[in-house]
């Protein structure tokens, strides 16, 4: 499934008027995979947290899952991409991933799902940070 999405995006990004022309497809694929893994870990952690009475952690994980999903969906629409909006959303998603990771790390010693969720959040934040840096390098200097 991921290869199909990437093939479609390559076609859309190769158009000379594409706002994402020149993006590193492997990096983009890595970000989408990290976001997907983070979303899944957060959903599972939120579900487990709810059963354990950890409302704050469950809420943070649910919010993080939603943001990761939205970020992925934005990335899968290269023709509708606005560079400034995309970068802002990346920064917001990184902040949410980091906040969720910090919350889950407080429970990581007693909760395996929180430890795994924190790791997935950290990986998503790092992948987004790397791509954001690449996008900043692509922007013309003013």
């Amino acid at each position: 499934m991921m290869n199909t999405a990437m093939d479609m995006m390559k076609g859309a990004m190769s158009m000379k008027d594409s706002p994402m022309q020149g993006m590193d497809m492997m990096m983009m694929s890595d970000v989408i995979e990290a976001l997907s893994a983070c979303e899944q870990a957060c959903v599972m952690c939120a579900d487990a947290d709810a059963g354990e009475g950890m409302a704050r952690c469950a809420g943070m994980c649910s919010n993080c899952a939603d943001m990761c999903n939205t970020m992925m969906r934005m990335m899968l629409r290269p023709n509708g991409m606005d560079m400034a909006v995309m970068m802002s959303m990346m920064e917001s998603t990184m902040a949410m991933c980091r906040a969720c990771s910090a919350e889950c790390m407080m429970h990581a010693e007693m909760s395996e799902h929180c430890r795994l969720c924190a790791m997935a959040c950290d990986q998503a934040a790092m992948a987004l940070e790397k791509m954001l840096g690449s996008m900043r390098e692509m922007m013309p200097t003013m």
Side-chain angles (χ1 to χ4, degrees):
M1 181 67 162
M2 190 62 71
N3 289 336
T4 302
M6 287 298 115
D7 289 342
M8 291 172 68
M9 289 176 65
K10 283 179 190 175
M13 286 188 217
S14 65
M15 300 194 280
K16 60 183 167 186
D17 61 342
S18 173
M20 292 185 79
Q21 187 177 13
M23 285 299 300
D24 181 333
M25 291 305 298
M26 280 307 299
M27 184 183 306
M28 184 169 270
S29 177
D30 290 346
V31 171
I32 291 171
E33 286 182 31
L35 288 167
S36 178
C38 185
E39 177 187 20
Q40 292 171 48
C42 286
V43 167
M44 292 174 69
C45 191
D47 184 63
D49 288 344
E52 296 171 358
M54 294 192 297
R56 177 171 168 75
C57 192
M60 295 284 284
C61 289
S62 293
N63 289 340
C64 191
D66 289 346
M67 287 191 73
C68 287
N69 181 276
T70 301
M71 185 74 250
M72 281 188 296
R73 292 177 67 191
M74 287 178 70
M75 291 175 73
L76 292 170
R77 295 185 191 117
N79 288 323
M81 196 273 266
D82 176 89
M83 186 75 84
V85 173
M86 181 69 78
M87 292 172 75
S88 178
M89 182 63 182
M90 286 180 155
E91 289 171 351
S92 297
T93 305
M94 284 183 342
M96 186 71 243
C97 287
R98 288 181 177 134
C100 187
S101 174
E103 178 66 27
C104 282
M105 282 307 293
M106 290 192 292
H107 316 119
E109 286 187 23
M110 63 185 166
S111 174
E112 180 68 2
H113 59 82
C114 282
R115 185 185 70 76
L116 294 172
C117 186
M119 287 174 48
C121 287
D122 289 341
Q123 290 171 352
M126 287 186 291
L128 284 164
E129 187 172 30
K130 182 177 178 183
M131 185 166 174
L132 188 58
S134 176
M135 290 173 77
R136 286 184 175 132
E137 289 175 10
M138 288 176 51
M139 293 185 72
T141 55
M142 303 202 183

